[in-house]
Amino acid sequence: MESHDGDSIPECWISNSLSEKSKERARVELNETDENRTLCVGQLRNRLEEYAATHPNVTFPRRDDRFLIQFLRARKYDVDTAMSMLKKYVKFRARYNQLFEGVTLESLKPALEWKYMFALPERDAYGRRILIWRTSLLDESISVSDMERCVPFVVDAVSEDEETQVNGIVIVVDYSGMSMTHMTRVENTETMQQLSSILQGAHPTQFVEVHVINQPWYFHIAWRNMKRFFEAGMKHKVS
């Protein structure tokens, strides 16, 4: 998925401008000013071009200003760490190319209509976008591959939103109706590795909190497997 437009994602997920409150937060917490944004975007683009020239096999899906600003905001306009995140992002896409190759809204429509993962239309009191991940809802006709593709697709989509770039994302994992069969199907090691990478720097998004609700008694089995891939900082965000 190279980019997003009004025909590919719900309009309620995207805003192309910042509220005055978010502008102030971006200035105070992310070091974003008009001057700094222009300067850092130029520096990051130069770093990207230098890296691309010496790594011809690395594919960057986009190079536009809007795309680069996502990485700068995620790393508080520190060009060095933004570039590190950008390299981690393209390496993730290369390693898990099957999550992105040929993926469109139409190809994922059956899984998305089941609302396996979706964004609430309203933000929380802090301006953060809320993602709901309901792993037990999918019909057996939906492949595990499409389930896995839904996660980066939805995260990519909501991350286009400027308010979300500044205020971050909260994920609510709802295990309502989760059976052992469902858990065995979706909580496999490969999926956990992919998810942990996205949550821990392979995507230009601030994942502020992860809340697990309605978990069955045997959830500890999946969590024991999952937390192996989480760094200490990410573990503290999970409740």
Side-chain angles (χ1 to χ4, degrees):
M1 184 174 54
E2 302 301 310
S3 63
H4 302 284
D5 54 45
D7 295 328
S8 61
I9 54 178
E11 292 182 3
C12 65
W13 290 7
I14 301 297
S15 64
N16 294 316
S17 61
L18 292 175
S19 66
E20 291 303 315
K21 184 177 181 180
S22 292
K23 285 181 182 178
E24 180 63 10
R25 180 173 185 178
R27 184 186 70 81
V28 173
E29 298 184 18
L30 307 183
N31 305 309
E32 179 171 303
T33 63
D34 290 343
E35 181 180 2
N36 203 31
R37 182 171 53 245
T38 300
L39 174 66
C40 291
V41 166
Q43 291 177 345
L44 184 57
R45 175 169 286 107
N46 289 339
R47 296 280 295 275
L48 184 158
E49 297 298 345
E50 290 171 1
Y51 185 81
T54 56
H55 297 77
N57 294 327
V58 175
T59 300
F60 290 89
R62 294 166 57 187
R63 303 189 185 195
D64 56 278
D65 287 4
R66 182 173 178 137
F67 178 67
L68 297 180
I69 287 171
Q70 290 187 47
F71 292 88
L72 290 167
R73 284 174 170 162
R75 287 297 177 259
K76 299 184 178 181
Y77 279 81
D78 182 302
V79 175
D80 289 338
T81 56
M83 185 62 201
S84 294
M85 175 178 268
L86 183 53
K87 288 191 286 188
K88 193 171 183 178
Y89 175 79
V90 295
K91 288 177 181 177
F92 174 82
R93 290 179 64 98
R95 179 179 179 182
Y96 297 112
N97 182 58
Q98 75 277 9
L99 300 178
F100 305 95
E101 186 68 30
V103 173
T104 64
L105 178 68
E106 190 62 30
S107 68
L108 290 182
K109 190 174 181 180
L112 291 171
E113 286 181 342
W114 275 91
K115 292 193 173 181
Y116 171 69
M117 175 176 270
F118 66 99
L120 294 180
E122 302 296 331
R123 302 177 188 278
D124 70 4
Y126 302 100
R128 303 176 301 194
R129 178 64 74 197
I130 310 298
L131 289 186
I132 308 297
W133 186 17
R134 301 191 291 183
T135 60
S136 65
L137 287 187
L138 283 179
D139 186 81
E140 291 293 327
S141 64
I142 307 298
S143 69
V144 172
S145 295
D146 278 351
M147 286 189 283
E148 293 173 345
R149 292 183 184 110
C150 274
V151 176
F153 183 91
V154 172
V155 172
D156 270 356
V158 298
S159 297
E160 284 287 311
D161 177 76
E162 292 206 56
E163 290 281 334
T164 301
Q165 291 169 21
V166 171
N167 298 307
I169 289 175
V170 173
I171 296 180
V172 178
V173 185
D174 185 359
Y175 277 94
S176 297
M178 171 65 75
S179 66
M180 186 68 80
T181 300
H182 272 114
M183 186 168 289
T184 302
R185 187 177 181 221
V186 302
E187 306 287 351
N188 58 75
T189 299
E190 182 78 357
T191 300
M192 291 302 99
Q193 287 179 319
Q194 294 166 10
L195 178 62
S196 65
S197 295
I198 291 173
L199 293 176
Q200 298 179 121
H203 197 279
T205 302
Q206 299 179 64
F207 294 99
V208 184
E209 298 171 359
V210 178
H211 300 284
V212 180
I213 62 173
N214 300 317
Q215 60 268 43
W217 65 267
Y218 44 81
F219 168 74
H220 71 278
I221 300 172
W223 175 238
R224 186 169 61 242
N225 181 41
M226 190 186 314
K227 68 181 181 180
R228 292 185 296 129
F229 306 109
F230 285 167
E231 298 168 1
M234 191 66 230
K235 290 177 184 177
H236 291 316
K237 293 181 180 181
V238 179
S239 65

